[in-house]
Amino acid sequence: MFTEPTAFSLRDFLKWLVLLIPLSAAVGTSVALFLVLLETATELRFGFPILLLLMPPAGILMVWLYREFGEESHRGNKLILEHIHEEGAGRIPLRMTPLVLFSTVLTHLVGGSAGREGTAVQMGGSLAAAYGRRLGIEDDDMPGILRCGVAAGFGAVFGTPIAGALFALEVAK
């Protein structure tokens, strides 16, 4: 049944609107950069097939980077999904964004197989957690910020914002 909006619900709507526009723009821009880099890496790989020989050293480099600098970033999407469902959503490291972006682009450059959607979800979640920490978002609002970052990343990588929102709602269950 339709009820008259209250000042409280309007205030909450405006709060989330103001919070999420800059986050969505940052995640969307980051994912757009990722897609450009990915396309460039793929073109280079086809232009220089010898890059395939670099797959083993590239793999070693990525493992070393994650072990040396990654903190919990190596847990990838599992880390993001866990923090959507439990306290401490702000503990996702910001370094996950450059690590997953670099690793995925390098993987494609040397002929490896890595999906775009997982990278975009991790970038969106990592950026959202950092954004929430920076703004001092309360713990009970952090899972919502995280869901929105995930939605922005997923929607941006496929160019489907509604699908991104539905994906974030689905993982929130």
Side-chain angles (χ1 to χ4, degrees):
M1 184 117 191
F2 179 77
T3 60
E4 187 68 30
T6 64
F8 179 76
S9 66
L10 180 60
R11 182 176 40 145
D12 282 347
F13 173 77
L14 291 174
K15 172 185 108 174
W16 282 98
L17 185 67
V18 168
L19 283 174
L20 297 180
I21 288 174
L23 173 62
S24 300
V27 172
T29 302
S30 299
V31 171
L33 171 66
F34 164 63
L35 292 174
V36 168
L37 293 173
L38 200 60
E39 185 175 326
T40 303
T42 302
E43 288 173 6
L44 282 171
R45 182 188 72 235
F46 285 122
F48 300 95
I50 197 159
L51 288 171
L52 292 171
L53 298 175
L54 296 176
M55 193 181 298
I60 292 168
L61 173 63
M62 287 182 274
V63 168
W64 178 79
L65 286 172
Y66 271 90
R67 284 189 178 164
E68 193 67 28
F69 304 106
E71 294 178 358
E72 287 191 273
S73 297
H74 69 279
R75 295 180 56 218
N77 286 333
K78 183 176 181 179
L79 179 67
I80 302 291
L81 296 177
E82 283 175 1
H83 285 297
I84 285 177
H85 297 290
E86 63 185 45
E87 293 293 318
R91 293 187 314 236
I92 297 168
L94 177 59
R95 63 187 67 194
M96 177 183 271
T97 294
L99 279 170
V100 73
L101 181 133
F102 175 77
S103 295
T104 305
V105 171
L106 181 58
T107 298
H108 280 258
L109 179 67
V110 297
S113 176
R116 298 181 294 175
E117 61 281 349
T119 301
V121 165
Q122 290 175 52
M123 289 174 65
S126 173
L127 291 169
Y131 178 73
R133 283 192 307 268
R134 180 78 172 151
L135 293 180
I137 301 295
E138 297 174 15
D139 284 344
D140 55 341
D141 284 338
M142 281 300 281
I145 292 285
L146 194 55
R147 279 186 212 98
C148 292
V150 164
F154 191 89
V157 80
F158 292 117
T160 56
I162 302 299
L166 293 175
F167 174 77
L169 289 172
E170 186 63 29
V171 298
K173 288 184 178 181

